[in-house]
């Protein structure tokens, strides 16, 4: 019985020691990803979508679970005229972080642009649940969706 207890304790300690460096590496990669995303956003702000795409791809390599990276990549794709791919990417970002209000607005705008009104309605509904019915952005989204539907 004592041998089993010693084995369990030593195994637990070994796992704890191994887990600590892994967590540190993960934090380092997340920090690297955030730094790369700042560079991607700066490139996008300076009308350099190709450079932004390079930075955001590196950010996703460093942290493939970064919702923000998928949203920034979606903005890059939208800037280059690929609204379909942008919509796919922002949707992935929202799958990771469903409460991202600015990404929900962007998703609705993209869906309207390519006339996917059901998806725009779903984004609007989710946005309104999070933001409340008194949000100015919600009113703007409703107006955008209704105007495009009328066309």
């Amino acid at each position: 019985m004592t041998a089993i207890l010693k084995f369990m304790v030593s195994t637990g300690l070994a796992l704890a020691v191994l887990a600590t460096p892994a967590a540190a590496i993960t934090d380092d990669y997340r920090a690297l990803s955030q730094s790369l995303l700042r560079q991607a956003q700066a490139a996008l702000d300076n009308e350099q979508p190709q450079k932004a795409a390079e930075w955001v791809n590196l950010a996703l390599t460093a942290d493939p679970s970064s919702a923000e990276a998928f949203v920034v990549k979606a903005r890059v794709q939208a800037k280059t005229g690929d609204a379909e791919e942008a919509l796919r990417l922002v949707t992935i970002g929202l799958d990771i972080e469903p409460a991202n209000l600015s990404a929900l607005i962007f998703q609705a705008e993209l869906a309207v642009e390519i006339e996917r009104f059901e998806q725009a309605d779903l984004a609007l509904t989710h946005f309104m649940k999070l933001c409340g019915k008194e949000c100015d952005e919600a009113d703007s989204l409703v107006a955008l969706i209704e105007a495009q539907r009328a066309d």
Side-chain angles (χ1 to χ4, degrees), residues 2 15-16 19 21 58 62 84 125 150:
T2 305
L15 289 174
L58 289 171
E84 294 255 351
T125 300

Side-chain angles (χ1 to χ4, degrees), residues 6-66:
K6 285 182 181 178
F7 174 76
M8 289 175 57
V9 169
S10 65
T11 302
L13 287 173
L15 289 174
V17 168
L18 289 175
T20 303
I25 290 170
T26 301
D27 290 343
D28 289 345
Y29 281 115
R30 283 193 182 116
L32 174 61
S33 179
Q34 288 299 309
S35 174
L36 292 165
L37 283 176
R38 284 190 294 277
Q39 293 177 24
Q41 189 60 56
L44 196 56
D45 293 344
N46 289 319
E47 302 295 324
Q48 298 174 321
Q50 288 300 93
K51 187 54 108 177
E54 292 171 17
W55 289 118
V56 78
N57 286 336
L58 289 171
L60 277 167
T61 301
D63 184 4
S65 67
S66 170

Side-chain angles (χ1 to χ4, degrees), residues 72-133:
V72 173
K73 187 170 175 102
R75 292 189 187 285
V76 170
Q77 290 303 120
K79 191 72 138 178
T80 62
D82 192 350
E84 294 255 351
E85 180 65 3
L87 181 58
R88 186 185 76 79
L89 291 166
V90 76
T91 301
I92 292 170
L94 284 164
D95 286 343
I96 297 167
E97 186 183 330
N100 184 331
L101 294 177
S102 64
L104 282 166
I105 293 170
F106 187 46
Q107 182 186 43
E109 291 169 345
L110 289 167
V112 166
E113 182 179 330
I114 58 177
E115 298 182 353
R116 290 197 186 159
F117 296 111
E118 254 184 66
Q119 194 168 2
D121 289 337
L122 289 172
L124 174 62
T125 300
H126 188 68
F127 180 84
M128 290 174 76
K129 282 181 190 173
L130 294 172
C131 187
K133 294 187 188 234

